[in-house]
Amino acid sequence: MIIMAITSSSTITISKLDFPISFSQSINKKISISSIPFCTKKYVPKKLFFSIKNPKSCGNISNSLVNDCSIDEISKENKTQVSIDVKTSTWNWKGYSIRYQFCGNSGPALVLVHGFGANSDHWRKNIPVLAQSHRVFSIDLIGYGYSDKPNPRELGVDNFYSFETWGSQLNDFCKDVIGDKAFFICNSIGGLVGLQAAILEPQLCRGILLLNISLRMLHITKQPWFGRPLIKAFQNLLRNTELGKFFFKSVATPEAVKNILCQCYYDTSQVTDELVQAILLPGLEPGAVDVFLEFICYSAGPLPEELLPQVKCPVLVAWGDKDPWEPIELGRAYGKFDTVEDFVVLPNVGHCPQDEAPHLVNPLVESFVARHANV
């Protein structure tokens, strides 16, 4: 998430695509927010109260199930209170400890995949709601959240923190932990992780919902030829000198994280102290700075426009139209791919719709999964 603030000043000239206000022409049947079940004008989003006993403890647990996130959901429609337990556990993946959260005992499996600099807590407003009719899992990608953060320089491989690594992790998670195929619900760079996983092992993915997928504007192919040497030199400077650690230290503060979040959230009232702490605390873990510097120097790898044509499962793209980092004018082009069933505009929402506007995202997820659950 931090890297988006750094690169948001990139200047790219492109003509505005001529699309209808909210959707592409990828399929005949249109989807509108008002047509999604439970998302009418009379719909009142459910209010969630969270009591997290110790966010830090979520990363320091054994493989036994730990109920350390207690959530009470109060339905304004029937005035009844339902207690939903979101459990936290760890999974040993290739010798590394991976944190994940899960909730729900029946229905299709969903895996929620976070973006850069975030973690599974970024889905805290979605897990308990979706778990009423689904088996929901939210994973900390290796290098993020409270999962292990191996130093890439000590591994002896190039680009350890890559979409191939995370895609393999996601597929192994489906096989080892879920024991079933799943729908991938992804935000930002998590979208590329989901796409990569679906290409590597298509039998494991039932469908993908992409929320403001990263355009990867710092990718080497998207930079002008004359700027590439300068970008490479700056990346090497950050990665190979103390300047990188100094820079990371300057952004790994509550004030800096809050300022960055306020850039990408259109409704800044959603940038709460709870959110700031959920993003910041894992970034203070040992090894976080090495992961940060490794990824901001990762200018290679796949682009969404390269992955989308290779996916065999249904894909739905949704976009907060006030995203300052991933402009919707560019994102609309993804709705033209044959593999994408539609492009949904989320009005007055920024880069992280699942957290800023869960009352829009949760019904959208439910509707998408319901259309494809029996396929």
Side-chain angles (χ1 to χ4, degrees), residues 2 20 26 63 96 112 115 130 181 201 203 227 230 248 259-260 266 272 298 354 359:
I2 294 173
S26 57
N63 285 326
Y96 300 114
L112 315 182
L130 297 174
K181 55 187 177 180
E201 297 194 61
Q203 75 278 8
L230 294 176
F248 178 81
N259 288 336
I260 292 169
Y266 183 70
T272 62
Y298 180 50
Q354 78 278 10
H359 62 288

Side-chain angles (χ1 to χ4, degrees), residues 103-166:
C103 189
N105 298 315
S106 62
L110 314 181
V111 184
L112 315 182
V113 188
H114 63 79
F116 177 79
N119 58 80
S120 59
D121 291 330
H122 213 185
W123 299 94
R124 68 200 187 285
K125 299 178 183 178
N126 315 102
I127 299 173
V129 176
L130 297 174
Q132 295 179 63
S133 54
H134 307 84
R135 291 171 291 145
V136 184
F137 301 82
S138 181
I139 188 172
D140 285 0
L141 298 174
I142 189 167
Y144 293 110
Y146 294 102
S147 290
D148 280 350
K149 303 169 180 62
N151 189 327
R153 298 187 178 216
E154 298 175 357
L155 298 176
V157 296
D158 294 331
N159 298 323
F160 175 76
Y161 292 106
S162 67
F163 298 113
E164 290 77 9
T165 296
W166 292 318

Side-chain angles (χ1 to χ4, degrees), residues 58-77:
C58 291
N60 300 316
I61 59 178
S62 67
N63 285 326
S64 60
L65 304 184
V66 178
N67 177 18
D68 54 0
C69 296
S70 177
I71 299 175
D72 288 331
E73 180 186 2
I74 299 177
S75 171
K76 293 185 177 180
E77 296 173 354

Side-chain angles (χ1 to χ4, degrees), residues 190-204:
L192 285 107
V193 175
L195 291 174
Q196 184 69 71
I199 292 168
L200 290 173
E201 297 194 61
Q203 75 278 8
L204 295 175

